[in-house]
Amino acid sequence: YDLCRGEVNTSAYGMDPVFQYGSSIFRAGSKVRQSEYYNQSELNQFGVPFGFRHHKIAGYPDGFPVVFDARLLPERAAEWVTYLWQGNYFDHQTAKLTIQLVTYNGNFGVFSNVKLTLLFSEAGSIKISHE
């Protein structure tokens, strides 16, 4: 597996599909109000806002974290997944995806921390590990 595809590029990328005509979550009239949400510097070469920006979280490597709060309703969580998919969160430079779940069992008063790591090779295979 080739994990070294160069340094981690923390430049903004992807697109905000809410502002992209043809996206299933495109909102009519959003292009007119785009300047209320984004500066010109936050637009890609096609005039569509970038969807993802680097955000540093202490204790984690550089990247583009996405946090799903446990209180999200299923419908809203599905919208977030659609945003990731249609905003091109995953692209040809995606080498690693880490999924971390923290759960609580009230019957036993125990927290659990599960971490899955998916490593994508350039050939298309996926190596999965867990902690």
Side-chain angles (χ1 to χ4, degrees), residues 22-64:
S23 162
S24 67
I25 58 176
F26 173 75
R27 294 203 169 59
S30 61
K31 278 292 203 187
V32 175
R33 297 182 15 225
Q34 181 173 297
S35 63
E36 294 176 24
Y37 301 100
Y38 293 101
N39 295 322
Q40 188 69 28
S41 65
E42 298 175 300
L43 306 180
N44 66 20
Q45 68 269 26
F46 304 109
V48 177
F50 288 110
F52 310 102
R53 286 166 189 72
H54 173 258
H55 180 77
K56 182 69 177 158
I57 296 180
Y60 290 87
D62 280 339
F64 297 84

Side-chain angles (χ1 to χ4, degrees), residues 79-96:
E79 286 179 0
W80 283 29
V81 170
T82 299
Y83 184 98
L84 293 172
W85 188 258
Q86 293 184 2
N88 298 320
Y89 183 76
F90 303 101
D91 65 9
H92 67 282
Q93 293 197 43
T94 303
K96 178 179 177 181

Side-chain angles (χ1 to χ4, degrees), residues 106-127:
N107 294 331
F108 294 101
V110 175
F111 283 95
S112 175
N113 183 20
V114 178
K115 190 176 190 181
L116 298 173
T117 302
L118 289 77
L119 302 174
F120 303 95
S121 76
E122 289 187 10
S125 63
I126 303 172
K127 180 181 179 184

